[in-house]
Amino acid sequence: MEKIVILTGAGISAESGLGTFRDEGGLWSQHRIEDVATPEGFARNPELVQGFYNARRKGAARAAANPAHRALARLQAEFPGEVVLVTQNVDGLHEAGGARDVLHMHGVLAGALCAACGHRWTAPEEMRVGEPCPACAAPGGRPDVVWFGEMPYHMEEILGHLEAADLFAAIGTSGQVYPAAGFVREALAAGAHTVELNLEPSAVVSDFAETRFGPASETVPAWVEELLAEAG
Ligand SMILES: [Zn+2]
């Protein structure tokens, strides 16, 4: 085995205290997705949207990487082949756990994006309505996160990796958000072995050849240990 492609979702960060996307009682459940995670919602009420992401940015800054994040960083460092890490998460916990070159397909909370010129910069902890762009001075600063109805980042690169994958793993993903939910089909078409590691079966669990259920902080380190033992 030479190339492993891993997709991670909110489930891997849940044990770091960050709410999953569809959980009860969390930040998400207090707002409608169309109000806080769409370009139309931002146009209607930028104050609500900036406030929502300011709260999420603060939460992510306080969170620490957990054993699942650290195990994937170890796999990247010690596996003799290539390990590509793709995440739907906008937190920086993979990097905090030591991972490199993470493909953030839904952007990052730590980033700001100019809606006028496309310039990117490091977001202040509190982004304001009309946040000025340091490049063009337009008052168009928004969180550099991909909203519903927008194209995820790095798609061409990710599909290229999936076409060459020997092993594809999805960790802590709901299987409800496309295109990520379709990655397992791409990997299967490429002849890869496929594994789902999750607290509960995802919406696309039947597409996977192998499944491992339990908290990510337990299943992921055990899986990484096995892969490294097989490779060693
Ligand atoms: Zn600009």
Side-chain angles (χ1 to χ4, degrees):
M1 194 192 323
E2 290 172 3
K3 188 177 178 103
I4 303 174
V5 179
I6 298 169
L7 169 71
T8 68
I12 198 170
S13 293
E15 289 171 78
S16 292
L18 297 180
T20 62
F21 192 60
R22 287 159 208 279
D23 65 349
E24 301 292 322
L27 260 184
W28 283 101
S29 65
Q30 296 160 26
H31 300 286
R32 298 187 313 161
I33 283 172
E34 53 268 42
D35 289 337
V36 294
T38 63
E40 295 77 17
F42 185 58
R44 265 197 313 270
N45 192 342
E47 197 159 356
L48 173 74
V49 176
Q50 292 287 22
F52 177 78
Y53 286 95
N54 286 340
R56 290 190 71 199
R57 192 176 298 112
K58 269 182 223 155
R62 276 197 307 267
N66 67 51
H69 297 108
R70 288 196 293 273
L72 294 183
R74 180 183 166 215
L75 184 66
Q76 263 192 333
E78 297 181 18
F79 185 73
E82 187 185 3
V83 178
V84 177
L85 200 46
V86 180
T87 188
Q88 296 172 280
N89 297 339
V90 293
D91 62 56
L93 294 181
H94 279 303
E95 289 86 349
R100 295 168 283 104
D101 304 325
V102 182
L103 293 169
H104 281 273
M105 60 183 295
H106 292 164
V108 289
L109 282 171
L113 168 69
C114 175
C117 77
H119 179 69
R120 290 188 163 84
W121 68 100
T122 301
E125 193 174 61
E126 286 272 344
M127 276 183 80
R128 293 167 294 144
V129 173
E131 187 76 33
C133 168
C136 77
R142 55 164 277 184
D144 189 13
V145 297
V146 175
W147 286 327
F148 288 87
E150 295 181 324
M151 184 66 79
Y153 299 154
H154 313 298
M155 282 305 297
E156 203 170 319
E157 186 178 355
I158 293 166
L159 291 173
H161 285 307
L162 289 169
E163 280 170 18
D166 299 300
L167 169 62
F168 170 72
I171 302 174
T173 64
S174 70
Q176 291 176 305
V177 180
Y178 283 82
F183 288 177
V184 59
R185 294 284 178 99
E186 302 286 339
L188 283 171
H193 180 59
T194 55
V195 192
E196 173 169 306
L197 297 95
N198 224 342
L199 195 55
E200 304 172 342
S202 76
V204 293
V205 68
S206 59
D207 289 339
F208 287 85
E210 183 187 344
T211 53
R212 296 175 177 222
F213 298 116
S217 64
E218 293 168 18
T219 57
V220 176
W223 176 68
V224 164
E225 197 72 50
E226 281 175 39
L227 286 175
L228 290 176
E230 282 167 25

